[in-house]
Amino acid sequence: MTQTKIPVDLILESLAQDAEKAQKRATKASDVLLGELHSDLATTPYEVVYQEDRIKLKHYFRSETADKLKTPLLTVYALINRETMLDLQPGRSVVQNFLNDGIDLYMIDWGYPTRKDSMLTIDDHVNGYMNNVVDFIREKHGIPKINLMGICMGGSFSVMYSALHPEKIKNLVTTVTPSSFDNDKGLLHIWMKDLDVDKMIRAFGNIPGDLMNLGFLLLNPARLMIDKYVGFMENIDNKDFVENFIRMERWIFDSPDVPGETFRQFVEDCYKKNLLIQNKMYLGNKRVDLKNLTMPLLNFYGKFDHLVPPEACEQLTKAVGSKDVEDVCLETGHIGIYVSSKYQREFAPKIAKWLKARDEEDVPQVKARDEQKPKLPAARGRKQAAAGSPKTKAARSATRTAKPKSPAPAKGKSALMQKIAEAI
Amino acid sequence: MTEEKSENTQPPSSFAPWLKLTGEFWNNFPALQAFSASENSEQKNDAASFLAAWTKFASGFWNNDWIKNMSGNSENATPDNADQNKNTANNRFLEQWQASLNFMKSFSKALSEPESANATIKSLSTLPDVVLKMLKSGCEAGIQVQQQLIEKAAKIGKTTEAYNFENLDQEVFKAFSDIYEKELSQYLHIPQVGLTRFYQERIADLMDKHNVLETTLAEFLSILYLPMEKANKVTQEKLERMAEQGTLPKESKENYSLWVKVLEGHYMTLFKSRDYTDALHNTLSRLEDFVMAKNETMRDFLQFFPVPTNKEMDDLYKEFHLLKRRVKELEKKLNIPMNKV
């Protein structure tokens, strides 16, 4: 007797088991959904120390026990979505990891632009708000330079800022930052090429966050509009999973509008003309010359990032004037770098270690504003960083593209969250 | 009292000539019947005689004493309604009626002249042509859509090529768009006249842009559905092969995973195709057209209320923005402290 090719009995048995599981899951799910759910984002305490128009500067309270870095770090997020992604939940927070590693952390909250902000250009954001914030931190700590870290579009802003004000930036960290836009790897790069941005701004004023979110969902509808929710239904009886999932949903769809003129310049100068990497971009009347980036540069990007593909990120280190540069390519997507538990153990500690190695003190040039909490210790003179900055070409090439070892893939619900993070 | 009531219910004596006229008209009724079925010149002559009878009737009707009495013509007033006529002599309504009556009289007279009658006959004979042309235009549009649907139906069952989205079959939507643009849209672009012409034009424009958006959106959604269609077919083919090899997954989850992976691949291929990019930009452009038209119309409505329009606010914001920039520059020059909270 030959074996059947279609094991109908086994398939039916599996279906029956699935139905039974679904019934049990539905019963438990009602308890989970009707019960108390903790889905708050950005719960790490902070104080707002500076405010200008819609923007706020958050200052976090770092761990007292940690080995403290002397130079504060300013984090600049993109104008798309919100910086709360860096503090998604306890135990999955880049902010907390930074604080635990002794980083004195500041973060710009760009707020929610309204119609009155539609005329704000990149120049207003970079040479206006960012410059004021940097000056504020420098003045508060009485130091000439601070560390700067940019994320995505915020990374591009940070690159522009550092090129225009290199005297104020000590170390630059760019993460998933597009700097070279002339490629056909990322869908955004393809779609933006023929976008009639003038007409879009005439119609909308500011570019609606919801419209952009729809665009991002359409980048991978199979995963982001179907598979993600199938995964949710499969784990709907798991309280932790549901809380994490809802946090992520809250973050994804919390999308401020992008000021029209900023969007116009970003699309025209960057996506269409690719001016930034060619040193031809102008902010105000000043040319952004990447050769002015002489400070140490650490450049992170995701191998499977379909929003900002590696091709858009990896050219930066070759274009800058600095000899102390390092590319780090992580095997994840655009958001996975920050929210996946797998890279939580690598990303922030790597930055903290890199900054510590370059945390030499600068001679104070301005008097500390905050007399009660002087951040500047007594001058100990310049000293070389523990891990010396590679200056030679050979040393430079040795530091390029350091790929950290990946731990074993997460399983179960973590694996699903990992998949979601990578799909974004 | 009873006598008075019975007198009032009697038809006025002036009805007699009107009834006579009506009788004459209906005596010519066969001519009307002949005209409706007219195919040759003989019957056309019948039509002419019908028209002559009708114009005679109309002329007589408007010159009828009863009609004149109704208008309060004192010349022909009977003693019964003389007082009433006096009271209403200056009634504006009756004056209007008199003016209308005079117009109808002169119009009937002009129409009863042989030249006018010939012209009317001629226009009546062209009427079927006009109706035919209108019907033809509508039918052609319908046939065009039907033809596209038949062509689409003929393609059902043809093998789909996996991971290929070149030359998308969107002819049905193109046909709908063509029909809308050629046959319907033009009515919304008829130049408006008068005081409210700009408002009417903007409302018509909004309707037009809305219709175009709907059509474009339908086309775009149909393109988005294509990967589903292809993924289903490819998955089925894969499962078929697996069944033949005896490696069919026992868990439904495995089937789903296979399908979603195929679907993802198809979407990625579609999104990189030129057709999709064009459709995306086209949809976005139509959406922007609609939003702009909506904003224009909303501005018209908002003008009736004591609230500023978006345009007014934008102008204000621009001034405000430039002023703020200048103030900030001045603050820096004067070393005014920053906004510490």
Side-chain angles (χ1 to χ4, degrees):
Chain A
M1 194 176 160
T2 54
Q3 196 184 349
T4 176
K5 284 185 174 177
I6 304 173
V8 182
D9 52 339
L10 292 176
I11 291 170
L12 286 175
E13 193 185 331
S14 168
L15 278 173
Q17 282 173 358
D18 285 350
E20 199 181 344
K21 275 184 203 165
Q23 195 186 6
K24 281 180 185 167
R25 198 184 298 144
T27 315
K28 207 176 166 191
S30 65
D31 295 339
V32 172
L33 295 175
L34 297 172
E36 195 181 0
L37 287 170
H38 301 286
S39 55
D40 289 343
L41 294 169
T43 52
T44 307
Y46 64 87
E47 62 173 334
V48 176
V49 289
Y50 177 86
Q51 190 161 0
E52 184 180 352
D53 301 336
R54 73 175 201 278
I55 76 140
K56 288 175 188 159
L57 180 64
K58 294 176 177 177
H59 184 211
Y60 291 88
F61 306 105
R62 66 175 156 176
S63 166
E64 290 300 318
T65 54
D67 182 15
K68 292 175 185 173
L69 270 83
K70 293 165 191 79
T71 315
L73 173 69
L74 171 65
T75 306
V76 182
Y77 197 76
L79 294 180
I80 298 155
N81 284 106
R82 299 203 66 217
E83 78 292 345
T84 47
M85 186 266 289
L86 294 176
D87 190 21
L88 206 59
Q89 67 183 82
R92 200 193 291 263
S93 165
V94 173
V95 168
Q96 277 182 358
N97 287 339
F98 277 161
L99 298 176
N100 293 340
D101 285 329
I103 293 176
D104 191 7
L105 184 65
Y106 288 86
M107 197 186 295
I108 291 180
D109 171 2
W110 291 115
Y112 294 86
T114 59
R115 209 170 168 97
K116 77 176 169 60
D117 299 308
S118 63
M119 267 145 290
L120 293 173
T121 59
I122 296 181
D123 181 41
D124 289 311
H125 285 91
V126 173
N127 289 321
Y129 297 130
M130 267 181 81
N131 191 39
N132 292 344
V133 163
V134 170
D135 284 349
F136 173 81
I137 299 169
R138 286 167 64 231
E139 202 176 334
K140 186 181 175 196
H141 291 264
I143 51 172
K145 291 181 179 182
I146 64 164
N147 292 330
L148 184 62
M149 172 176 148
I151 294 156
C152 190
M153 188 190 198
S156 303
F157 283 9
S158 299
V159 167
M160 293 170 202
Y161 181 80
S162 303
L164 292 170
H165 307 274
E167 74 284 358
K168 298 180 185 179
I169 301 303
K170 188 177 176 66
N171 298 298
L172 176 63
V173 181
T174 50
T175 63
V176 293
T177 294
S179 53
S180 175
F181 297 80
D182 190 20
N183 69 72
D184 58 355
K185 298 290 176 191
L187 287 172
L188 277 186
H189 293 262
I190 297 170
W191 294 350
M192 290 288 189
K193 287 269 187 308
D194 300 320
L195 191 72
D196 188 349
V197 70
D198 287 335
K199 193 176 177 187
M200 208 169 176
I201 291 163
R202 273 206 310 280
F204 298 109
N206 291 332
I207 307 304
D210 287 340
L211 186 71
M212 281 188 298
N213 261 336
L214 181 65
F216 294 137
L217 289 178
L218 287 179
L219 287 170
N220 194 349
R223 295 285 171 199
L224 298 176
M225 293 164 87
I226 300 172
D227 195 39
K228 191 173 84 169
Y229 297 102
V230 170
F232 177 65
M233 293 308 289
E234 283 175 345
N235 293 278
I236 200 165
D237 55 338
N238 182 328
K239 191 166 183 269
D240 283 348
F241 181 91
V242 170
E243 286 178 345
N244 292 346
F245 189 90
I246 289 170
R247 271 191 206 102
M248 192 69 136
E249 286 286 283
R250 284 180 65 180
W251 172 75
I252 288 171
F253 297 111
D254 181 11
S255 234
D257 298 348
V258 176
E261 286 304 318
T262 302
F263 184 78
R264 184 207 301 276
Q265 197 181 0
F266 203 66
V267 172
E268 290 291 341
D269 288 359
C270 296
Y271 277 101
K272 289 189 178 179
K273 297 177 188 162
N274 195 24
L275 297 181
L276 182 60
I277 200 76
Q278 301 175 64
N279 299 324
K280 289 179 182 171
M281 190 168 175
Y282 278 82
L283 292 190
N285 296 318
K286 293 173 192 164
R287 187 168 66 91
V288 181
D289 188 352
L290 299 184
K291 292 290 173 203
N292 290 341
L293 291 173
T294 50
M295 67 288 295
L297 169 64
L298 178 61
N299 185 35
F300 278 93
Y301 51 89
K303 190 177 176 185
F304 307 116
D305 188 340
H306 54 258
L307 286 175
V308 184
E311 288 79 2
C313 306
E314 62 196 6
Q315 288 186 41
L316 179 66
T317 46
K318 297 179 190 89
V320 298
S322 172
K323 287 190 165 63
D324 181 6
V325 292
E326 184 176 342
D327 282 321
V328 181
C329 179
L330 299 176
E331 294 192 349
T332 184
H334 192 65
I335 301 299
I337 288 179
Y338 315 97
V339 300
S340 81
S341 43
K342 182 180 171 184
Y343 291 108
Q344 285 289 311
R345 293 186 288 272
E346 294 179 22
F347 174 67
K350 164 76 186 170
I351 293 172
K353 196 178 164 190
W354 187 84
L355 289 175
K356 266 178 197 165
R358 290 155 183 81
D359 194 35
E360 62 187 60
E361 289 163 22
D362 292 291
V363 178
Q365 291 183 347
V366 284
K367 197 184 170 189
R369 279 179 62 85
D370 197 345
E371 297 294 337
Q372 300 301 315
K373 299 176 197 171
K375 295 289 177 195
L376 187 72
R380 292 177 214 157
R382 282 177 174 272
K383 63 177 181 184
Q384 202 64 33
S389 307
K391 299 287 182 192
T392 61
K393 204 172 180 181
R396 181 179 170 179
S397 60
T399 54
R400 280 189 194 279
T401 325
K403 289 185 185 178
K405 285 177 189 174
S406 304
K411 289 182 180 176
K413 64 175 183 178
S414 305
L416 184 66
M417 291 305 286
Q418 176 90 13
K419 267 167 65 185
I420 293 168
E422 282 172 6
I424 298 167
Chain B
M1 288 292 280
T2 322
E3 274 182 14
E4 273 176 25
K5 270 188 184 172
S6 63
E7 272 176 19
N8 287 341
T9 52
Q10 290 296 316
S13 55
S14 53
F15 260 126
W18 183 80
L19 288 170
K20 191 184 164 196
L21 270 170
T22 318
E24 279 176 19
F25 172 72
W26 287 113
N27 286 340
N28 284 301
F29 189 66
L32 174 67
Q33 290 170 317
F35 175 73
S36 61
S38 65
E39 284 292 327
N40 51 44
S41 58
E42 204 178 306
Q43 281 166 326
K44 291 271 181 197
N45 287 337
D46 285 345
S49 63
F50 161 72
L51 191 75
W54 183 81
T55 47
K56 191 183 169 191
F57 161 74
S59 178
F61 175 80
W62 293 112
N63 285 300
N64 189 328
D65 287 344
W66 180 69
I67 292 289
K68 285 176 185 172
N69 288 343
M70 270 182 75
S71 70
N73 188 337
S74 57
E75 205 178 83
N76 298 307
T78 58
D80 293 342
N81 55 19
D83 291 340
Q84 198 184 349
N85 284 343
K86 275 179 191 173
N87 292 337
T88 57
N90 295 321
N91 188 303
R92 282 162 62 197
F93 169 73
L94 288 176
E95 278 174 20
Q96 190 91 26
W97 171 254
Q98 183 67 50
S100 305
L101 183 67
N102 290 339
F103 166 73
M104 290 308 294
K105 272 161 70 180
S106 58
F107 180 73
S108 305
K109 198 179 170 188
L111 202 65
S112 64
E113 285 168 6
E115 295 84 3
S116 306
N118 285 340
T120 312
I121 289 287
K122 217 173 178 180
S123 69
L124 282 174
S125 65
T126 58
L127 191 67
D129 287 344
V130 173
V131 173
L132 201 66
K133 273 182 187 169
M134 286 167 71
L135 284 173
K136 195 183 164 196
S137 169
C139 284
E140 273 176 359
I143 288 165
Q144 205 180 333
V145 174
Q146 212 171 16
Q147 205 174 348
Q148 297 291 346
L149 287 171
I150 290 165
E151 280 174 18
K152 176 95 176 161
K155 287 174 187 168
I156 293 172
K158 282 190 180 175
T159 317
T160 179
E161 198 182 334
Y163 302 103
N164 182 14
F165 291 98
E166 297 304 321
N167 303 316
L168 299 176
D169 179 24
Q170 296 299 307
E171 293 305 316
V172 175
F173 294 101
K174 277 181 190 135
F176 274 117
S177 300
D178 285 351
I179 289 159
Y180 175 72
E181 278 168 25
K182 286 177 193 162
E183 308 294 338
L184 302 168
S185 168
Q186 53 192 317
Y187 292 101
L188 293 170
H189 291 115
I190 294 170
Q192 303 292 318
V193 290
L195 184 67
T196 57
R197 60 162 293 198
F198 292 114
Y199 303 106
Q200 290 161 12
E201 270 177 5
R202 281 193 277 269
I203 288 173
D205 188 45
L206 176 63
M207 286 165 70
D208 181 41
K209 296 292 189 296
H210 176 261
N211 294 336
V212 172
L213 174 64
E214 294 265 304
T215 317
T216 318
L217 204 58
E219 184 182 350
F220 181 66
L221 291 174
S222 82
I223 291 176
L224 274 184
Y225 177 69
L226 282 177
M228 286 270 192
E229 206 177 275
K230 280 183 181 281
N232 288 344
K233 202 163 174 77
V234 170
T235 312
Q236 275 173 15
E237 284 167 5
K238 277 192 178 181
L239 289 174
E240 208 177 295
R241 277 198 301 273
M242 288 163 97
E244 281 168 11
Q245 292 162 5
T247 54
L248 202 65
K250 294 169 193 70
E251 301 279 333
S252 55
K253 174 81 181 163
E254 286 177 56
N255 292 332
Y256 164 76
S257 299
L258 179 72
W259 173 78
V260 90
K261 203 175 168 186
V262 172
L263 181 66
E264 191 180 16
H266 276 97
Y267 269 121
M268 287 303 146
T269 315
L270 171 73
F271 290 162
K272 285 180 180 171
S273 74
R274 188 72 224 172
D275 284 335
Y276 175 79
T277 311
D278 289 345
L280 178 73
H281 285 132
N282 193 28
T283 310
L284 200 57
S285 181
R286 299 290 162 262
L287 174 68
E288 287 155 7
D289 287 337
F290 170 71
V291 169
M292 282 191 274
K294 183 203 75 181
N295 289 347
E296 292 281 307
T297 313
M298 279 305 291
R299 199 170 69 197
D300 287 343
F301 282 111
L302 283 175
Q303 277 173 352
F304 291 105
F305 301 101
V307 288
T309 63
N310 268 348
K311 193 179 178 303
E312 287 164 342
M313 288 307 291
D314 284 345
D315 290 343
L316 195 66
Y317 290 147
K318 196 169 185 178
E319 281 181 35
F320 190 55
H321 170 72
L322 294 172
L323 276 171
K324 262 173 88 174
R325 275 192 131 177
R326 290 182 65 186
V327 169
K328 280 179 183 176
E329 279 169 21
L330 285 170
E331 273 183 345
K332 275 198 168 176
K333 278 181 187 170
L334 296 170
N335 280 327
I336 293 173
M338 286 181 284
N339 308 353
K340 190 184 172 189
V341 178

